[in-house]
Amino acid sequence: AVDELIAAAEDRNGTKVVVGRLPGGTTDLVRVQVDRVKQKCGSAFVTFVWEDEGKVGVLVALTPDLVKKGLKSGDIVKQVAAVVGGSGGGLHQLARGDVE
C-alpha cells in the first residue's frame, strides 16, 4: 500500500507529499512504513491514518529538511486530528494523534 501511495504522491518543489490510509496495524508498524517513505523519497511530508483496536490513528512525519524550514509535525497532527474530534502531539519530525 505504501509503494502505491508513494507512486501517487504529489511532488511539491522536490518534496513528496504522501498521504493515505493504511490497513490496520500498530503505531510501530506505521512508523516502519514512514521510514520506508523517507528512504525512498528523500524529502517527504507524510500523513497516514489507520485503524487499531477501534481507534483511528493519525501519524504525521517530516524529513529533517522540512523541519529546518520551520514545519513541526506536532502542530500539523493537532490540526488534522482536531478536524475529526481527536487530539495529538509529538516532536518536530514525528507526531501522532488519536480519534476514538
Side-chain angles (χ1 to χ4, degrees):
V2 172
D3 290 334
E4 292 173 6
L5 292 172
I6 292 170
E10 250 185 81
D11 189 298
R12 296 281 180 124
N13 299 319
T15 297
K16 286 283 192 174
V17 179
V18 183
V19 178
R21 182 173 192 260
L22 298 179
T26 65
T27 301
D28 289 337
L29 291 174
V30 174
R31 287 181 179 164
V32 168
Q33 298 308 313
V34 166
D35 289 341
R36 286 185 61 220
V37 172
K38 288 180 178 181
Q39 289 173 350
K40 290 184 174 205
C41 296
S43 180
F45 177 108
V46 183
T47 303
F48 288 146
V49 296
W50 72 99
E51 187 175 343
D52 182 22
E53 297 182 11
K55 294 183 180 180
V56 175
V58 179
L59 192 130
V60 174
L62 306 170
T63 50
D65 62 305
L66 298 177
V67 173
K68 286 180 184 176
K69 291 180 180 180
L71 294 175
K72 297 176 184 174
S73 62
D75 293 345
I76 297 165
V77 81
K78 285 177 188 175
Q79 293 177 17
V80 171
V83 169
V84 289
S87 62
L91 305 173
H92 294 326
Q93 288 187 34
L94 184 71
R96 180 191 159 120
D98 290 304
V99 180
E100 299 208 24

